[in-house]
Amino acid sequence: SSFCLFSGVCGGEFSVLRSPQSVVFRDGSWPIPGERIPDVAALTMGFSVEEDLPWPGLGVGDLFHRPQATVLVTVKGVDKLPVKGFSYPIENAVPFSLDSVANAIHTLFSEEMPVVLQLAPSEERVYMVGKANAVFEDLSVTLRQLRSRLFQDNSILSSLPLNSLSRNNEVDLLFLSELQVLHDIASLLSRHKHLAKDHSPDLYSLELSGLEEVGKHYGEDSQQFKDASQILVDSLQKFADEMFNLYGGNAVVEVVAVKEFNSPLSRKTRSILQASQSKENPYNLAYPYNYDYSVIFNIVLWMMIGLALAVIVISYNLWNMDPGYDSIIYRMTNQKIRMD
């Protein structure tokens, strides 16, 4: 869009397919920095982030009702997908991960074993923690498992309109196997519905690169690429609805579409330069202001005042206590003395 050209180089689109009423996304074309997408996921789940996010697309929402799950699907090989929901251009599409969100869930809900599933089928990368190990133990994750899963009776091949895609081509099968994973995640979770109703929030992070391979193999003007894009959009919409319903309408389902990720090398060099400057610190500058400072200061201040007042009140009452009120204790003591 023309808005992107003024604000910087945009390399993709961030879309919110489904979200509960407690999470407020505003309709608009505000670009979101690619490296802040994990912070959006953290804030929607009610976690704090290190750096303030001045992005108008996300409203405050209901702080007391946080979503029970966040599902983020990254689709490589396309700038945007015509999905239903709010969509925002991505500025500086650098590779990101939801590890920080997963760590926050583990730290706060370690005893309740939340479901955390991070998956990139084409790269055979999988990370399952907590109850995810029990729920998704039958999930196909290697390319060989995915291929054999596609040719089972209850696979998506029997129900999907393949159009120009072929079940004999490796590239097409890789793309279809990723859609099979989406289908299997929802169906396996539907057998363990109690996990969607527990108190701990769950996290699903999926990376799909099958469409990118279809584009490279057939060309982006080909009928195969157009058909694959349409099939993917339909599958994502269906997956979003299924996950949203499994969590009783209390889940956020998001899609990140990127043509290709920018190399984050420039950011790394900049951070190294910043670190070397701060070590030397030639101007004797103060340390950067921490936004939690005022919060921590207030907590400590009022707790100290409260404890000081409590000590004064308790001490005063102990000093002025009338021993006559403890007549039972004195009577019991006197009787024992007499008996002795």
Side-chain angles (χ1 to χ4, degrees), residues 8 10 21 34 57 97 123 134 158 178 202 237 255 319 322 335:
C10 287
Q21 289 181 333
S97 89
E123 295 174 27
S158 54
E178 291 184 342
D202 301 334
Q237 214 79 55
V255 171
W319 186 261
D322 184 358
Q335 279 174 2

Side-chain angles (χ1 to χ4, degrees), residues 56-78:
L58 183 64
V60 175
D62 187 345
L63 297 173
F64 299 101
H65 295 92
R66 295 286 89 192
Q68 284 298 96
T70 288
V71 185
L72 180 64
V73 184
T74 303
V75 178
K76 288 156 77 177
V78 65

Side-chain angles (χ1 to χ4, degrees), residues 4-12 31-32 89-93 262:
C4 265
L5 297 172
F6 297 110
S7 58
V9 181
C10 287
I32 176 165
I90 296 174
E91 189 178 30
N92 186 27
N262 300 336

